[in-house]
Amino acid sequence: TTISHEAQAILSEPPENRTSEGIKLAMLSLQATVSTFSEYPVHIQEKLAQMGWYECFGPGRVVIRQGHIPQNFYLILSGTAVVTKVAVNKQTGELYAKTAAFLKKGKYFGDVAILTGARRNATVVCHDTVSLLAVSRQEFLNIFLNRESGEGPDFMNFLRKIELLSGWPVEKLPYNNPRICAFTFFRPGTVITKDSKASSKIYVINTGSMRVLKAMASSKPRLSLKSFRH
């Protein structure tokens, strides 16, 4: 299933032409259809329904291309997309495309490149007919980093209340630079970092909970025959 035809029509209109009732209807339709959308806070859901737009592409259509500058953030409303990456054959030195993942309804992509300011690290192609909720790069930053607010985003106030950071110059954090300081969401089951010691980032949990897993080396006890008898 996908969002209703009424919601599609609303999301196909320019944002300035949408009414508050239309935005609410689109938001409710997105909530009922895509569970990932309902995981965002309500005020972010409303902003996405207000500024995002509906797109539908046929099989084989390239949505984003590896190496390009990021322009939009995408949430899949229906269909399946294929993620491919260009790699180098170590034996021949030739370039080839390998499939990295399949993205289905509820998956989103494009946010990492926008937050880090890097170029796209993969190509996303429609496997079948795919409908999307798209948000421009600038609006994505405004929604998730409160770029339009001159007082700074809400998560800065949250950091000031943390006892561990008391006395630390939190106000000097460049919250307008997503490469250094960013507020983002992770779906359940997402690996945030594979090795916390090697990570260049500090993660502060605002809401929710995480599991911390540690790799342990298996070992066998070394016991002499004498100690074993005793």
Side-chain angles (χ1 to χ4, degrees), residues 64-101:
I64 64 174
R65 193 178 296 277
Q66 185 174 349
H68 284 194
I69 297 174
Q71 298 296 333
N72 301 320
F73 161 81
Y74 296 97
L75 173 66
I76 299 179
L77 306 179
S78 65
T80 304
V82 183
V83 181
T84 61
K85 292 187 177 183
V86 175
V88 180
N89 190 315
K90 295 181 180 180
Q91 296 179 350
T92 63
E94 296 179 352
L95 299 177
Y96 69 97
K98 64 176 182 178
T99 300

Side-chain angles (χ1 to χ4, degrees), residues 88-150:
V88 180
N89 190 315
K90 295 181 180 180
Q91 296 179 350
T92 63
E94 296 179 352
L95 299 177
Y96 69 97
K98 64 176 182 178
T99 300
F102 287 90
L103 303 178
K104 296 186 178 182
K105 184 175 76 170
K107 296 290 185 179
Y108 50 85
F109 56 93
D111 54 323
V112 175
I114 292 176
L115 289 171
T116 59
R119 292 180 178 268
R120 302 291 194 189
N121 62 356
T123 298
V124 178
V125 184
C126 298
H127 179 68
D128 48 21
T129 301
V130 177
S131 61
L132 302 159
L133 177 68
V135 181
S136 69
R137 176 184 181 277
Q138 190 58 50
E139 291 300 337
F140 178 85
L141 293 173
N142 290 340
I143 293 171
F144 287 93
L145 299 184
N146 285 7
R147 281 287 183 86
E148 295 177 343
S149 174

